[in-house]
Amino acid sequence: MSAVLPSVAAPAARRAPRPFSLPILVVGLALIALEMALGDKVSEYYFLAAYVILQYVVLATGWNILGGYAGYVNFGTAGFFAVGCYTTIALENLVELPLPVAILAAGVVAGLLGLGTGFLTLRLRGVFFSIATLALAVVLQTLIVNWSFVGGARGAYMLRPDATAPFASYVQYLLVVMTALAIFAVLIAVAVERSWVGMGLAAIRDDELAAEASGVPGLRLKLLATTLCGALMGMAGAPFPYFITYVDPPSAFSLAIAVNAIAMPLIGGTATWWGPVLGAILLGATQQVLTVTISSAANLLIVGIVLVVFVTVAPTGVVGLVRAWQGKRS
């Protein structure tokens, strides 16, 4: 008589996350629907404030693809942003194009710039790479200052076109475009994070020599990251001339843009796609409130203080704090 042994159920295989996130797309479309429904029912100030926050979502997400996933800190954010901005101005001087076409052109130009920068600088590591990207921004600003076709040092004016249906104003149109761009940037980040590209970049961040010894194509992955990073930052800058209506080198190469694009991922957390998004929303909303209640001059001061606090107390950002809290509960 044979004994009946209890059956042992095989552990369920853990499903790998999909590189495409339908919930993010649905939430983004719902946000666009809300913006369309608001129309002229609210002041344009709220649309402009939301535009700034979403612009930082795109910048922080783009920066995180290279700085967060691969661990290469890019100080040249303002340079890529300005390239997108001045691509729009140059195209406007040549031929009048729809804004989405200008955004695509800015993404191509800034992406190629990122690819070229990667070829020249990615053999550098640590602080040497960061200094090289900072030098790139300085060189670009010098070129723009001396390029009279796009306004040079005196700057350039950009008139907003008239709004067309179904938009109540051109500001509302700008907000919808930036929302779509933010959705696109986040979906790109999710696809990178959940694919072999993200795993390869994480291996490079942890130990680049060990990763390359294990067969990870380090240079190709880093070039892909610099291209995506540059393209997204350039696309974020493309609508900026229509947002601000007057662009000069100090506004396009603004220190606030460079600092915020780095501070927001570090405060939110660089390990996941939602860390930069959370950091951009928290810090961007705080800056908008401070601009109205105190002064816009206090923005960088607050960013600096918060950044020092997080780097000292919580170097993994809000994402790290949430994960530590979940670990204690389980």
Side-chain angles (χ1 to χ4, degrees):
M1 183 178 178
S2 61
V4 179
L5 298 177
S7 60
V8 179
R14 187 174 181 179
R15 182 179 299 177
R18 296 178 178 178
F20 177 76
S21 176
L22 183 60
I24 292 175
L25 180 61
V26 171
V27 170
L29 293 177
L31 186 57
I32 290 177
L34 175 63
E35 294 166 357
M36 295 299 298
L38 288 176
D40 55 356
K41 298 181 179 64
V42 298
S43 168
E44 282 192 351
Y45 166 76
Y46 296 104
F47 284 167
L48 293 173
Y51 173 93
V52 173
I53 295 172
L54 290 168
Q55 171 188 277
Y56 281 127
V57 168
V58 180
L59 282 173
T61 301
W63 184 92
N64 195 52
I65 290 177
L66 180 63
Y69 295 155
Y72 277 73
V73 177
N74 179 5
F75 284 161
T77 305
F80 290 100
F81 180 85
V83 165
C85 176
Y86 279 100
T87 299
T88 300
I89 295 175
L91 289 175
E92 179 69 19
N93 291 340
L94 291 172
V95 58
E96 189 172 346
L97 293 174
L99 181 57
V101 178
I103 292 175
L104 287 176
V108 172
V109 173
L112 291 175
L113 177 65
L115 180 63
T117 304
F119 269 117
L120 295 175
T121 61
L122 280 176
R123 299 192 186 281
L124 303 174
R125 294 179 183 173
V127 67
F128 300 104
F129 173 81
S130 302
I131 292 174
T133 56
L134 180 62
L136 170 70
V138 174
V139 171
L140 289 173
Q141 184 170 4
T142 305
L143 292 175
I144 292 297
V145 166
N146 292 282
W147 192 16
S148 59
F149 182 70
V150 293
R154 71 177 186 279
Y157 288 94
M158 292 285 286
L159 297 177
R160 291 174 184 160
D162 295 330
T164 56
F167 301 100
S169 67
Y170 198 78
V171 173
Q172 184 194 20
Y173 172 66
L174 283 177
L175 176 61
V176 171
V177 169
M178 188 52 72
T179 305
L181 192 53
I183 297 168
F184 174 72
V186 172
L187 289 175
I188 290 289
V190 170
V192 169
E193 182 179 317
R194 295 179 179 177
S195 66
W196 62 272
V197 175
M199 289 188 286
L201 292 176
I204 292 171
R205 179 190 59 207
D206 294 339
D207 191 333
E208 187 166 352
L209 291 178
E212 291 182 346
S214 303
V216 174
L219 182 59
R220 278 189 292 170
L221 289 182
K222 289 186 293 184
L223 286 175
L224 177 61
T226 53
T227 304
L228 289 175
C229 174
L232 290 177
M233 290 178 177
M235 294 170 82
F240 188 67
Y242 294 106
F243 169 75
I244 198 170
T245 67
Y246 170 72
V247 181
D248 60 351
S251 60
F253 292 88
S254 169
L255 178 63
I257 291 172
V259 172
N260 280 324
I262 298 174
M264 289 169 176
L266 292 179
I267 291 171
T270 58
T272 64
W273 63 266
W274 59 274
V277 175
L278 185 62
I281 293 173
L282 291 177
L283 209 54
T286 303
Q287 289 179 342
Q288 292 302 312
V289 173
L290 288 176
T291 299
V292 176
T293 56
I294 302 178
S295 167
S296 60
N299 284 345
L300 279 184
L301 174 65
I302 299 300
V303 170
I305 294 174
V306 174
L307 183 59
V308 169
V309 169
F310 266 86
V311 170
T312 306
V313 179
T316 55
V318 177
V319 172
L321 293 176
V322 171
R323 286 181 171 174
W325 177 71
Q326 289 177 334
K328 289 180 181 178
R329 291 192 62 187
S330 61

